[in-house]
Amino acid sequence: MTTVANAPSKDEQALAQAELYSHIETQAEVVAPTQDPLTSRDRRIIGEIIEVQPESVRTIWIEGGITVWVQFVDGGRLPFDRNWFATRVAEVKATLPETPRERNQRLESELKEACTIFGLYHGEIDYLVFSTKVYHQGKFVGFVGWDEEGWYARPRQYGLNRVAPSAEQVIASLGVRATVVV
């Protein structure tokens, strides 16, 4: 029987509660592993906002539509007002430069969409200079890439680049027609 004299202190209770939560999280992860919902860019944004290393952020969630909780890898948590946090995310996103990997992912996605429109497929992408060959029904159509001027294309290995603001427009400059969906 617990009496006032031998009751655990608040620190001991908090420690026991933290251990219990840690144990429950570990067991839940073993039973149903979750995919990481945060990208490296998300972690960079959160790290910039709350001035921590991006790798220290485990996840975030919104509680009651009011509070954004940031969970750290070491088990700690910090609460933030949702509106304040959302405003800061928008500000940081606008100023945070894209990493080369993020740029390549964005460009590859745009290239795939444009190739689909024209019924093309592309070869292996050289991510260092972001360029590739595009083909239509097994025939070489040209080179497509992206550099400091934007999207470019050329029908041969050597020659002048045709520059356009989008992958779709630059592929069209090669004389390829969009496929008709029936």
Side-chain angles (χ1 to χ4, degrees):
M1 180 171 146
T2 302
T3 64
V4 174
N6 68 3
S9 70
K10 286 187 179 184
D11 289 341
E12 290 172 329
Q13 284 179 326
L15 183 60
Q17 191 69 40
E19 286 178 18
L20 175 63
Y21 286 146
S22 176
H23 176 71
I24 291 171
E25 279 183 18
T26 302
Q27 294 305 308
E29 188 68 24
V30 169
V31 173
T34 57
Q35 287 188 332
D36 190 356
L38 297 179
T39 65
S40 61
R41 183 167 178 82
D42 294 335
R43 283 190 172 77
R44 286 177 50 218
I45 291 167
I46 294 165
E48 181 79 18
I49 292 169
I50 62 175
E51 300 177 2
V52 299
Q53 291 298 317
E55 308 80 49
S56 70
V57 176
R58 175 178 281 170
T59 192
I60 66 170
W61 71 93
I62 298 176
E63 183 176 68
I66 298 169
T67 306
V68 173
W69 284 93
V70 176
Q71 172 79 43
F72 296 101
V73 173
D74 69 5
R77 295 179 184 156
L78 286 177
F80 298 94
D81 174 73
R82 186 195 74 180
N83 294 334
W84 176 86
F85 201 83
T87 300
R88 289 291 295 135
V89 166
E91 291 169 357
V92 171
K93 268 187 176 180
T95 61
L96 194 64
E98 196 174 44
T99 66
R101 182 178 182 172
E102 291 165 345
R103 182 209 61 189
N104 284 343
Q105 289 171 336
R106 176 180 53 80
L107 294 174
E108 183 176 6
S109 178
E110 185 178 343
L111 177 63
K112 283 181 180 179
E113 286 178 33
C115 283
T116 300
I117 291 169
F118 292 94
L120 303 176
Y121 65 94
H122 61 80
E124 189 172 324
I125 297 171
D126 179 346
Y127 289 103
L128 290 176
V129 292
F130 202 89
S131 69
T132 188
K133 296 176 181 178
V134 291
Y135 301 89
H136 182 257
Q137 296 178 347
K139 292 186 178 182
F140 174 74
V141 174
F143 294 89
V144 175
W146 187 89
D147 62 19
E148 65 277 348
E149 294 181 50
W151 284 99
Y152 68 86
R154 64 181 179 276
R156 293 173 299 288
Q157 175 75 35
Y158 303 104
L160 296 175
N161 288 345
R162 299 167 184 174
V163 180
S166 73
E168 184 178 339
Q169 291 171 334
V170 86
I171 289 174
S173 77
L174 290 170
V176 183
R177 295 187 193 274
T179 57
V180 179
V181 180
V182 181

